[in-house]
Amino acid sequence: MHRREFLISALSTAALAAVAGCSPGESKDGTTLTFLTFETPALTAKFWDDSIADATKNLGGVSVKKIVAPTSDRNAYAKQLQASGQFPDVLASINPKDFLEAGLLQPYDQGWLDANFLQPNGNAINGKTYIPPTNSQILPMVFYNKEIFAKNNLQVPTTWAQFADVANKLKAGGVTPIQLAGAEPWSASMPLVGLVSAHVLGKNPNWIKDRYANTVKFTDADMVAAVTRQRDLVKAGAFGNGALGVNYNDANKQFLDGKSGMYLMGSWFIGQISAAQAAGFGAFLLPTDDGKPVVPFNVGGTTSVNAKSPNAAKAAEFAKAWSLSPNNLKTLIETDGAFPMLKTVKLEDFGAKVTPVFTDCYKYVQESNTKVSSVGWVNNDDAMPPGVSDLFYALSQQLFTNDDVKAQLAALDTAWDKAVKQ
């Protein structure tokens, strides 16, 4: 999610604990673990409470207290807690690379990964996994309003030229072509993530690894061309007026209320489309030039374990139980659009109620096709160096006012080289 930095000095250790609503350490009757969570329209406080209860029901003597990140930026908050000596025992959906240099995360044992997951190494970094590969996401998908498309005599585009034409026709028809949650860098980044994943990694799936090897640059022609396409959409008015002032929740509502024709968002947005609404919406992949489908793929998961916790063994037990809980995954399927990646449990076995939008998107996971890492989102060897994803997300906002695409990409190269000390 988006990375808004906080001033650690503004909060004392006691204040951080008060915000977290927890007191780490041993309970009188057993082990008390702290669990850094976050809340979204889909992953509510009740979801986390229920998921913790389900994961601990067979863990005798273990209780769990939530630490709720005050914003969606779990990484920044986890770093605050680290600095104040309160790094949680278990952390939800952080970026492992940001914490590996300090030796803060404990890898999962390979035998457990091999036994339980379809892609046991889907989240591996240098051969070790710090987030279980429990589910997957496609980000972004292009969600569209079927009624708006029909009223404007539009078909689902399969090439980039057709996509640009659809955007132009929607604008000419008085419809905002592409909804954008532009106020938050992480959500504003979705068109950019899609363009780079499809148009750069679609041609060279090893682009991120090559960037680590310093054999490609952000200023190379293919990257400049892909990013320029977002700048072109901005100049064409594809995102409407005031897009940078719209937050994620409001963008969701505006799209679902029929205020725009398309919405580029992670497949978790499926969970925001109710069964009653589902017939009116569809989804497709952001098109490439030649129409070849490219799936920007992310093997997801939640629980990372604090390697330095005095309760690391119990924390690992809880993290494993949370990750394999059928009830937890059923909720994630229904409310967060998660595509299950367990080896021993099929989708139908969860008993989850899903919409046709879910089914249409899930087929891209099941099919044999070109899957590439969703740029800036994966938690494996293709993850960007610490801090660079933040700058990549922010670039999507800068493209609204800065026409010098190559200079902005040169700044990313500089930041990358500094982060990896090239």
Side-chain angles (χ1 to χ4, degrees), residues 148-149 152 154 165-175 177 261-262:
I148 289 175
F149 266 50
N152 289 273
L154 299 174
D165 185 57
V166 165
N168 288 334
K169 288 179 177 176
L170 285 170
K171 185 173 185 294
V175 177
M262 297 181 287

Side-chain angles (χ1 to χ4, degrees), residues 83 125 255:
I125 299 173
F255 177 68

Side-chain angles (χ1 to χ4, degrees), residues 134-210:
T134 58
N135 58 72
S136 61
Q137 303 161 328
I138 300 172
L139 58 151
M141 291 296 304
V142 184
F143 297 93
Y144 72 100
N145 185 304
K146 292 182 177 180
E147 182 179 353
I148 289 175
F149 266 50
K151 283 183 177 179
N152 289 273
N153 299 312
L154 299 174
Q155 302 296 317
V156 171
T158 58
T159 67
W160 177 255
Q162 291 173 1
F163 180 85
D165 185 57
V166 165
N168 288 334
K169 288 179 177 176
L170 285 170
K171 185 173 185 294
V175 177
T176 298
I178 303 172
Q179 183 68 54
L180 187 72
E184 301 166 87
W186 74 266
S187 52
S189 76
M190 287 297 150
L192 187 61
V193 171
L195 283 163
V196 174
S197 298
H199 293 261
V200 179
L201 271 68
K203 297 175 183 176
N204 176 13
N206 294 316
W207 194 93
I208 297 292
K209 295 181 180 66
D210 290 346

Side-chain angles (χ1 to χ4, degrees), residues 104-138:
L104 288 172
L105 301 184
Q106 176 173 292
Y108 288 88
D109 54 280
Q110 192 62 44
W112 180 76
L113 294 168
D114 291 339
N116 288 290
F117 303 106
L118 292 174
Q119 291 192 12
N121 298 316
N123 285 334
I125 299 173
N126 294 326
K128 295 182 178 181
T129 295
Y130 303 92
I131 292 182
T134 58
N135 58 72
S136 61
Q137 303 161 328
I138 300 172

Side-chain angles (χ1 to χ4, degrees), residues 153-411:
N153 299 312
L154 299 174
Q155 302 296 317
V156 171
T158 58
T159 67
W160 177 255
Q162 291 173 1
F163 180 85
D165 185 57
V166 165
N168 288 334
K169 288 179 177 176
L170 285 170
K171 185 173 185 294
V175 177
T176 298
I178 303 172
Q179 183 68 54
L180 187 72
E184 301 166 87
W186 74 266
S187 52
S189 76
M190 287 297 150
L192 187 61
V193 171
L195 283 163
V196 174
S197 298
H199 293 261
V200 179
L201 271 68
K203 297 175 183 176
N204 176 13
N206 294 316
W207 194 93
I208 297 292
K209 295 181 180 66
D210 290 346
R211 184 63 190 85
Y212 275 107
N214 207 28
T215 59
V216 297
K217 296 283 188 181
F218 282 99
T219 50
D220 290 349
D222 57 347
M223 182 67 73
V224 173
V227 175
T228 297
R229 286 180 169 174
Q230 176 159 332
R231 177 61 183 162
D232 291 342
L233 289 172
V234 170
K235 291 194 290 187
F239 301 106
N241 298 320
L244 293 184
V246 181
N247 65 31
Y248 174 63
N249 289 343
D250 289 342
N252 291 352
K253 185 176 188 306
Q254 288 177 19
F255 177 68
L256 291 173
D257 287 347
K259 306 296 186 183
S260 49
M262 297 181 287
Y263 187 27
L264 278 70
M265 186 47 64
S267 52
W268 56 77
F269 179 70
I270 295 168
Q272 297 299 301
I273 304 173
S274 69
Q277 296 169 311
F281 295 95
F284 59 92
L285 297 171
L286 190 68
T288 56
D289 285 329
D290 61 6
K292 176 185 176 182
V294 173
V295 180
F297 195 61
N298 175 37
V299 177
T302 300
T303 50
S304 295
V305 176
N306 177 359
K308 298 184 178 182
S309 166
N311 302 312
K314 289 291 186 182
E317 288 184 39
F318 167 73
K320 288 180 178 180
W322 197 100
S323 297
L324 294 181
S325 165
N327 289 335
N328 291 353
L329 286 167
K330 176 184 177 182
T331 301
L332 290 171
I333 291 166
E334 292 180 336
T335 67
D336 212 40
F339 305 128
M341 298 291 285
L342 297 189
K343 182 177 289 186
T344 58
V345 188
K346 297 179 181 179
L347 174 63
E348 53 269 25
D349 296 331
F350 288 99
K353 297 178 181 179
V354 300
T355 68
V357 184
F358 182 101
T359 305
D360 288 347
C361 294
Y362 188 40
K363 69 182 180 183
Y364 294 115
V365 176
Q366 299 171 299
E367 292 174 350
S368 177
N369 49 34
T370 300
K371 293 182 177 69
V372 302
S373 292
S374 180
V375 174
W377 282 86
V378 294
N379 287 309
N380 54 29
D381 287 326
D382 281 342
M384 290 182 173
V388 177
S389 289
D390 301 347
L391 299 176
F392 179 70
Y393 299 163
L395 172 60
S396 62
Q397 295 173 317
Q398 296 163 14
L399 289 167
F400 274 76
T401 56
N402 191 332
D403 214 29
D404 194 343
V405 171
K406 192 164 186 177
Q408 294 175 83
L409 291 173

